[in-house]
Amino acid sequence: MKILVTGGTGYIGSHTVVELQQEGFEVVVVDALFNSRREVIDNIAKITGQKPEFEQFDLTDQAKTADFFQRHQDLVGVIHFAAHKAVNDSVQHPIKYYRNNLDSLMNLLDNMETFGVPNIVFSSSCTVYGQADQLPVSESAPIKKAESPYGNTKQIAEEIIADTVHVTPLHAIALRYFNPIGAHESGLIGELPNGVPDNLLPYITQTAYGIREQLKVFGNDYNTPDGTPIRDYIHVVDLAKAHVAAVKRMVGNQMKKPFEVFNLGTGNGYSVLEVIKAFEKATGLKVNYKIVGRREGDIEQIWADPTFSNEELGWKAVRNLDEMVASAWHWEQHYRNTL
Ligand code: NAD
Ligand code: WQD
């Protein structure tokens, strides 16, 4: 069974390609290499012993996308990771985000309908919940007004999918990720942020490696036990495995309605200081950090209620915070040593 993985050389996509191949799926990756490198394909092959098929093009290009589907009429599904994802950049360049994230989705849906490809898994985000009124957050929690154009692309994308599924034979699953961190145990694939990282874990690993001088902890005056914000960090390998579970649910005709939404989190929340402490304990290193003011747009605390995904997908996140931070450090060292 052949799956198209868009954004498959990216962080979450590459880990998912590995899990799909290890479960016997054939994979074709499409990525424009806007935020990833071609070598990722070779590193996937080193892990799995199989080189995935790879095509480099921009999915906002209608002609190229149609030509791709014309040549690949044996697809049973698509996992759509390809998107721009930097929250701050999206505030500065909203059109870039709306165009890339929404045109690519619409091109895919159009061609899936034309060529009869029946299933799509979409990368959504817990950002759609904003600061939820009730914790933990379940899938039925209300969607809050998006804090950024990036977040808005996820909300609009879910609506585009819902409207399309309503009038076509297409089946769709949106997976709302909480905070993916960590890397494959091999150290061969991992997160590769462009420039100065926005996200906490790559900032920590780069500071520990000496690439960044000091981590800024954005605020310790939140209404949380240690004053720093709380998130549901999830190991990227656990996240990747949930995609395989979603694909199996689709191709096995187990969906209960044509568009389903699942939270992907552990159900545990950790504060920024707890993450730093876990990193220090796992690596024996000290992280140079200082507390500064709050970052605009940050929410105070969020963690998932993963009950629905646990029960319906038959999937559960099993890797703990120590494994997450240790694997992120292993990857940082491995990657830097190969430069
Ligand atoms: P990533 O940047 O590592 O991977 C995305 C890949 O998509 C990149 O390799 C990029 O080159 C490619 N891409 C982007 N636009 C494209 C286009 N028009 N055509 C072809 N390729 C294109 O990001 P990631 O962290 O792996 O995220 C994957 C998905 O998960 C994204 O949709 C992201 O919004 C979503 N998501 C990520 C997080 C997170 O914290 N990493 C959280 C929630 C949701
Ligand atoms: C985590 C915590 C920061 C960096 C973002 C997107 C969200 C989703 C995941 C895609 C926060 C603190 C961070 C730093 C810090 N992406 N922090 N110093 O903000 O929960 O979510 O990525 O959908 O949409 O908004 O993740 O890793 O940036 O921050 O103190 O240098 O770490 O304040 O409390 P966030 P993050």
Side-chain angles (χ1 to χ4, degrees), residues 188-220:
L188 287 165
I189 52 174
E191 188 171 10
L192 203 58
N194 224 342
V196 182
D198 284 327
N199 298 116
L200 180 62
L201 233 287
Y203 212 107
I204 290 178
T205 55
Q206 290 194 11
T207 305
Y209 200 84
I211 299 162
R212 310 282 155 212
E213 199 178 316
Q214 190 172 50
L215 167 74
K216 295 186 189 72
V217 172
F218 298 130
N220 68 348

Side-chain angles (χ1 to χ4, degrees), residues 7 9-13 31-36 57-60 81-85 100 104 123-125 150 154 177-178 180:
T9 44
Y11 173 45
I12 306 169
D31 200 302
L33 304 181
F34 292 149
N35 197 34
S36 55
F57 69 89
D58 182 341
L59 287 153
T60 65
F81 291 105
H84 292 323
K85 63 164 182 177
N100 190 60
S104 57
S123 296
S124 190
S125 170
Y150 165 74
K154 294 298 175 191
Y177 313 155
F178 282 66

